[in-house]
C-alpha cells in the first residue's frame, strides 16, 4: 500500500538558495524499514537524507536517523541544522522555548534558535588524537605536498563521525590543495576517519576567519563536501584544545567560509558558550511537498 509523507529539501549553511549544502528531510518515518530508508537515501543521491521519528527519550523534541547513499551516520552537522529548520518551518513547537533537543545516534544534541533566524547545534563530545608520525608522509602525499603548517599536529577527531583536521599555512594554501585520491583513500583508512578537513587562516579583513575544505573518497572517487557541520565541529574542538593559536579573534567565536571551489558560499558561525562550541548557520527551503512510497 502506498503512503504519502511530508518531504522537504533544504539548503544548509546559506541564506541564499543553491549556495549551501542540500539535505532531504522525510517526516513521519516511524513505519519505514531500514531498507526503505536506505533505498530513499540512494534515490535522493544527496550526501545525507534524514528521517524524522518520534523520540524515545522524553526530553527530546524529535528523533532523527541520518543516511547517506551508502551507510547510516550516528551524527552529522548539516543534517542536524537542516532537520531542525524543516521541523520548525512545518510547525513543530519546542518543549522548551528557544531551543530544540534532537535525539540521534550519539544521544541528545541541543539546537539553539538564534535571534537572527539561524540555528546552532552544540558540538558533541569528541575524542582527539594526533596523527601517528608514521602516517605524516602519506598525509603529505595525499595533499600533493601542499603547504601545511608543520608545527601544528594533524588531529584525528571523532564525534560519531571522524575527520582528520589539518592546518594549512594560509587560506590560499588550503584552496590550492589538489589532493591525490589514492593516497587520500589510504590515509583515511589508516587514520580511521571519514575524511580530511583542511583549514587555513584568512588575512585580517578577509571574507572570514578561516577557509575550510572537507575532502573524502567515495567509491574510489575524490569528492569535496560543500559545507560540513561535523568537520567544523571537529575543528572547533581542536582550536580550543590548542588554546586558540590565532588569539582573541577566535577565542569567543569565529567565522568560516567553505565551498568556495564548489561554487558555493557556505558560511559557518562558531561561538563558544561556557567553553562549549556551538556550530551555527542559516538554512532555507527549496522544495516543500509530499513523497509517495
Amino acid at each position: 500500500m502506498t503512503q504519502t509523507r511530508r518531504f522537504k529539501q533544504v539548503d544548509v549553511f546559506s541564506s541564499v538558495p543553491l549556495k549551501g549544502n542540500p539535505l532531504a528531510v522525510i517526516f513521519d518515518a516511524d513505519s519505514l524499514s531500514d531498507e526503505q530508508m536506505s533505498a530513499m537515501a540512494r534515490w535522493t543521491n544527496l550526501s545525507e537524507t534524514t528521517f524524522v521519528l518520534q523520540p524515545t527519550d522524553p526530553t527530546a523534541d524529535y528523533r532523527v536517523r541520518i543516511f547517506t547513499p551508502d551507510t547510516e551516520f550516528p551524527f552529522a552537522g548539516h543534517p542536524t541544522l537542516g532537520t531542525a529548520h524543516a521541523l520548525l518551518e512545518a510547525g513543530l513547537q519546542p518543549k522548551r522555548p528557544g531551543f530544540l533537543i534532537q535525539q540521534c545516534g550519539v544521544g541528545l544534541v541541543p539546537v539553539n534558535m538564534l535571534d537572527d533566524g539561524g540555528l546552532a547545534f552544540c558540538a558533541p563530545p569528541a575524542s582527539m588524537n594526533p596523527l601517528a608520525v608514521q602516517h605524516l608522509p602519506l598525509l603529505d602525499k595525499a595533499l600533493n605536498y601542499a603547504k601545511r603548517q608543520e608545527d601544528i599536529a594533524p588531529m584525528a577527531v571523532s564525534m560519531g563521525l571522524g575527520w582528520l583536521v589539518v592546518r594549512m599555512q594560509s587560506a590560499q594554501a588550503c584552496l590550492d590543495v589538489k589532493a591525490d585520491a589514492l593516497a587520500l583513500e589510504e590515509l583515511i583508512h589508516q587514520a580511521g576517519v571519514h575524511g580530511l578537513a583542511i583549514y587555513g587562516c584568512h588575512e585580517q579583513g578577509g571574507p572570514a576567519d578561516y577557509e575550510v575544505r572537507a575532502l573524502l573518497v567515495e567509491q574510489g572517487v575524490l569528492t569535496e563536501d560543500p559545507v560540513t557541520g561535523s568537520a567544523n565541529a571537529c575543528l572547533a574542538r581542536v582550536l580550543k584544545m590548542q588554546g586558540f593559536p590565532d588569539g582573541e579573534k577566535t577565542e569567543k567565536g569565529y567565522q568560516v567560509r567553505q565551498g568556495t571551489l564548489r561554487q558555493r558560499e557556505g558560511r559557518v558561525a562558531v561561538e563558544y558558550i561556557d567553553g562549549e562550541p556551538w556550530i551555527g548557520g542559516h538554512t532555507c527551503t527549496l522544495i516543500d511537498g509530499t513523497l509517495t512510497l
Side-chain angles (χ1 to χ4, degrees):
M1 183 178 71
T2 61
Q3 292 182 319
T4 59
R5 289 174 174 80
R6 291 177 297 167
F7 170 87
K8 289 180 185 284
Q9 190 160 315
V10 299
D11 213 10
V12 185
F13 290 121
S14 176
S15 58
V16 180
L18 309 179
K19 291 294 186 179
N21 196 355
L23 173 75
V25 182
I26 298 171
F27 297 74
D28 309 313
D30 293 271
S31 63
L32 293 177
S33 67
D34 290 2
E35 292 75 15
Q36 287 173 308
M37 292 184 193
S38 293
M40 192 64 223
R42 288 193 298 271
W43 182 81
T44 66
N45 201 34
L46 298 175
S47 59
E48 282 100 4
T49 298
T50 62
F51 297 85
V52 180
L53 307 101
Q54 290 297 314
T56 58
D57 188 308
T59 63
D61 291 283
Y62 61 94
R63 183 162 64 99
V64 67
R65 293 181 66 180
I66 304 166
F67 282 78
T68 76
D70 298 318
T71 190
E72 181 177 5
F73 287 156
F75 168 78
H78 101 275
T80 295
L81 294 190
T83 303
H85 164 89
L87 285 166
L88 289 168
E89 188 178 64
L92 176 68
Q93 295 297 315
K95 293 179 178 178
R96 290 152 295 275
F99 71 99
L100 298 166
I101 298 292
Q102 171 182 283
Q103 182 184 357
C104 60
V106 296
L108 300 178
V109 178
V111 181
N112 274 350
M113 301 160 62
L114 305 178
D115 292 339
D116 64 359
L119 297 166
F121 67 86
C122 184
S127 63
M128 293 183 283
N129 297 287
L131 182 67
V133 173
Q134 64 265 30
H135 295 331
L136 292 176
L138 183 58
L139 168 62
D140 289 326
K141 185 176 181 182
L143 293 171
N144 245 322
Y145 304 99
K147 298 176 181 178
R148 65 178 175 89
Q149 193 158 329
E150 296 186 8
D151 61 336
I152 294 184
M155 299 293 297
V157 186
S158 178
M159 50 181 61
L161 191 61
W163 292 91
L164 179 59
V165 179
V166 178
R167 181 170 180 132
M168 307 304 293
Q169 288 185 2
S170 66
Q172 189 59 52
C174 179
L175 290 169
D176 287 343
V177 170
K178 294 179 174 58
D180 180 314
L182 289 177
L184 178 59
E185 186 172 31
E186 180 61 24
L187 175 68
I188 288 170
H189 173 72
Q190 292 192 18
V193 294
H194 174 66
L196 174 66
I198 58 176
Y199 71 102
C201 196
H202 279 283
E203 294 182 359
Q204 189 169 358
D209 296 303
Y210 296 106
E211 189 77 28
V212 169
R213 295 175 65 192
L215 306 174
L216 51 154
V217 179
E218 297 176 322
Q219 298 178 345
V221 178
L222 175 67
T223 61
E224 180 169 349
D225 198 53
V227 202
T228 319
S230 58
N232 276 286
C234 289
L235 171 59
R237 291 282 185 197
V238 167
L239 291 174
K240 181 187 175 185
M241 181 270 295
Q242 294 171 339
F244 301 101
D246 299 300
E248 293 183 0
K249 76 171 187 175
T250 59
E251 189 168 351
K252 293 183 179 179
Y254 56 87
Q255 299 289 320
V256 164
R257 184 178 73 170
Q258 189 179 351
T260 305
L261 298 182
R262 293 289 311 272
Q263 288 75 55
R264 309 292 174 89
E265 190 64 30
R267 297 289 175 160
V268 181
V270 177
E271 182 180 10
Y272 292 88
I273 302 175
D274 296 327
E276 294 298 309
W278 290 75
I279 314 303
H282 287 84
T283 304
C284 52
T285 299
L286 276 67
I287 299 172
D288 190 349
T290 59
L291 174 74
T292 301
L293 282 178

mmCIF file of all heavy atoms in Angstrom, residues 126-143:
data_model
loop_
_atom_site.group_PDB
_atom_site.id
_atom_site.type_symbol
_atom_site.label_atom_id
_atom_site.label_comp_id
_atom_site.label_asym_id
_atom_site.label_seq_id
_atom_site.Cartn_x
_atom_site.Cartn_y
_atom_site.Cartn_z
ATOM 1 N N ALA A 126 34.077 14.843 21.802
ATOM 2 C CA ALA A 126 34.918 14.241 20.760
ATOM 3 C C ALA A 126 36.157 13.605 21.368
ATOM 4 O O ALA A 126 36.676 14.064 22.388
ATOM 5 C CB ALA A 126 35.336 15.297 19.742
ATOM 6 N N SER A 127 36.623 12.549 20.718
ATOM 7 C CA SER A 127 37.951 12.016 21.009
ATOM 8 C C SER A 127 38.927 12.655 20.029
ATOM 9 O O SER A 127 38.603 12.840 18.852
ATOM 10 C CB SER A 127 37.963 10.496 20.862
ATOM 11 O OG SER A 127 37.687 10.121 19.523
ATOM 12 N N MET A 128 40.112 13.001 20.510
ATOM 13 C CA MET A 128 41.100 13.683 19.666
ATOM 14 C C MET A 128 42.473 13.050 19.867
ATOM 15 O O MET A 128 42.933 12.926 21.009
ATOM 16 C CB MET A 128 41.154 15.179 20.007
ATOM 17 C CG MET A 128 39.886 15.932 19.650
ATOM 18 S SD MET A 128 39.984 17.715 19.974
ATOM 19 C CE MET A 128 39.772 17.722 21.763
ATOM 20 N N ASN A 129 43.093 12.666 18.780
ATOM 21 C CA ASN A 129 44.410 12.048 18.840
ATOM 22 C C ASN A 129 45.288 12.566 17.708
ATOM 23 O O ASN A 129 44.826 12.653 16.553
ATOM 24 C CB ASN A 129 44.295 10.526 18.717
ATOM 25 C CG ASN A 129 43.519 9.914 19.870
ATOM 26 O OD1 ASN A 129 44.018 9.845 20.988
ATOM 27 N ND2 ASN A 129 42.291 9.504 19.606
ATOM 28 N N PRO A 130 46.554 12.914 18.005
ATOM 29 C CA PRO A 130 47.452 13.335 16.929
ATOM 30 C C PRO A 130 47.640 12.208 15.915
ATOM 31 O O PRO A 130 47.656 11.027 16.273
ATOM 32 C CB PRO A 130 48.773 13.642 17.657
ATOM 33 C CG PRO A 130 48.402 13.797 19.091
ATOM 34 C CD PRO A 130 47.214 12.923 19.325
ATOM 35 N N LEU A 131 47.762 12.589 14.662
ATOM 36 C CA LEU A 131 48.044 11.600 13.623
ATOM 37 C C LEU A 131 49.396 10.958 13.906
ATOM 38 O O LEU A 131 50.375 11.650 14.206
ATOM 39 C CB LEU A 131 48.051 12.272 12.247
ATOM 40 C CG LEU A 131 48.278 11.343 11.048
ATOM 41 C CD1 LEU A 131 47.106 10.387 10.864
ATOM 42 C CD2 LEU A 131 48.497 12.170 9.780
ATOM 43 N N ALA A 132 49.458 9.648 13.825
ATOM 44 C CA ALA A 132 50.708 8.938 14.089
ATOM 45 C C ALA A 132 51.809 9.431 13.157
ATOM 46 O O ALA A 132 51.570 9.689 11.965
ATOM 47 C CB ALA A 132 50.502 7.438 13.907
ATOM 48 N N VAL A 133 53.003 9.568 13.704
ATOM 49 C CA VAL A 133 54.130 10.128 12.944
ATOM 50 C C VAL A 133 54.376 9.342 11.663
ATOM 51 O O VAL A 133 54.693 9.937 10.616
ATOM 52 C CB VAL A 133 55.402 10.143 13.829
ATOM 53 C CG1 VAL A 133 56.621 10.567 13.007
ATOM 54 C CG2 VAL A 133 55.221 11.076 15.019
ATOM 55 N N GLN A 134 54.190 8.028 11.704
ATOM 56 C CA GLN A 134 54.467 7.225 10.509
ATOM 57 C C GLN A 134 53.485 7.498 9.369
ATOM 58 O O GLN A 134 53.740 7.119 8.226
ATOM 59 C CB GLN A 134 54.471 5.729 10.846
ATOM 60 C CG GLN A 134 53.147 5.169 11.333
ATOM 61 C CD GLN A 134 53.047 5.143 12.844
ATOM 62 O OE1 GLN A 134 53.636 5.981 13.518
ATOM 63 N NE2 GLN A 134 52.322 4.175 13.376
ATOM 64 N N HIS A 135 52.357 8.179 9.693
ATOM 65 C CA HIS A 135 51.376 8.487 8.653
ATOM 66 C C HIS A 135 51.595 9.861 8.014
ATOM 67 O O HIS A 135 50.937 10.199 7.036
ATOM 68 C CB HIS A 135 49.962 8.441 9.220
ATOM 69 C CG HIS A 135 49.546 7.078 9.689
ATOM 70 N ND1 HIS A 135 50.031 5.913 9.135
ATOM 71 C CD2 HIS A 135 48.671 6.691 10.668
ATOM 72 C CE1 HIS A 135 49.488 4.865 9.743
ATOM 73 N NE2 HIS A 135 48.675 5.310 10.682
ATOM 74 N N LEU A 136 52.524 10.652 8.564
ATOM 75 C CA LEU A 136 52.731 12.002 8.034
ATOM 76 C C LEU A 136 53.194 12.008 6.568
ATOM 77 O O LEU A 136 52.711 12.836 5.772
ATOM 78 C CB LEU A 136 53.723 12.774 8.913
ATOM 79 C CG LEU A 136 53.211 13.130 10.317
ATOM 80 C CD1 LEU A 136 54.315 13.813 11.124
ATOM 81 C CD2 LEU A 136 51.981 14.029 10.240
ATOM 82 N N PRO A 137 54.108 11.119 6.146
ATOM 83 C CA PRO A 137 54.466 11.105 4.709
ATOM 84 C C PRO A 137 53.262 10.811 3.815
ATOM 85 O O PRO A 137 53.140 11.390 2.725
ATOM 86 C CB PRO A 137 55.519 10.001 4.619
ATOM 87 C CG PRO A 137 56.126 9.933 5.989
ATOM 88 C CD PRO A 137 54.981 10.201 6.921
ATOM 89 N N LEU A 138 52.357 9.933 4.259
ATOM 90 C CA LEU A 138 51.168 9.639 3.476
ATOM 91 C C LEU A 138 50.247 10.855 3.419
ATOM 92 O O LEU A 138 49.630 11.143 2.380
ATOM 93 C CB LEU A 138 50.436 8.435 4.067
ATOM 94 C CG LEU A 138 49.193 7.949 3.313
ATOM 95 C CD1 LEU A 138 49.530 7.570 1.872
ATOM 96 C CD2 LEU A 138 48.567 6.765 4.050
ATOM 97 N N LEU A 139 50.149 11.589 4.533
ATOM 98 C CA LEU A 139 49.369 12.822 4.542
ATOM 99 C C LEU A 139 49.919 13.815 3.518
ATOM 100 O O LEU A 139 49.169 14.402 2.730
ATOM 101 C CB LEU A 139 49.368 13.448 5.935
ATOM 102 C CG LEU A 139 48.833 14.886 6.035
ATOM 103 C CD1 LEU A 139 47.371 14.955 5.606
ATOM 104 C CD2 LEU A 139 49.000 15.422 7.459
ATOM 105 N N ASP A 140 51.232 14.011 3.527
ATOM 106 C CA ASP A 140 51.828 14.955 2.576
ATOM 107 C C ASP A 140 51.576 14.518 1.135
ATOM 108 O O ASP A 140 51.308 15.355 0.258
ATOM 109 C CB ASP A 140 53.323 15.103 2.850
ATOM 110 C CG ASP A 140 53.599 15.868 4.135
ATOM 111 O OD1 ASP A 140 52.814 16.778 4.460
ATOM 112 O OD2 ASP A 140 54.581 15.545 4.820
ATOM 113 N N LYS A 141 51.632 13.221 0.885
ATOM 114 C CA LYS A 141 51.339 12.737 -0.458
ATOM 115 C C LYS A 141 49.877 12.983 -0.806
ATOM 116 O O LYS A 141 49.545 13.395 -1.932
ATOM 117 C CB LYS A 141 51.665 11.249 -0.564
ATOM 118 C CG LYS A 141 51.507 10.694 -1.982
ATOM 119 C CD LYS A 141 51.929 9.239 -2.064
ATOM 120 C CE LYS A 141 51.772 8.721 -3.510
ATOM 121 N NZ LYS A 141 52.148 7.275 -3.604
ATOM 122 N N ALA A 142 48.969 12.749 0.143
ATOM 123 C CA ALA A 142 47.546 12.996 -0.095
ATOM 124 C C ALA A 142 47.279 14.461 -0.396
ATOM 125 O O ALA A 142 46.404 14.791 -1.202
ATOM 126 C CB ALA A 142 46.726 12.550 1.115
ATOM 127 N N LEU A 143 48.043 15.350 0.242
ATOM 128 C CA LEU A 143 47.912 16.790 -0.003
ATOM 129 C C LEU A 143 48.663 17.237 -1.259
ATOM 130 O O LEU A 143 48.668 18.427 -1.576
ATOM 131 C CB LEU A 143 48.434 17.581 1.199
ATOM 132 C CG LEU A 143 47.629 17.465 2.499
ATOM 133 C CD1 LEU A 143 48.397 18.108 3.645
ATOM 134 C CD2 LEU A 143 46.262 18.106 2.342
#
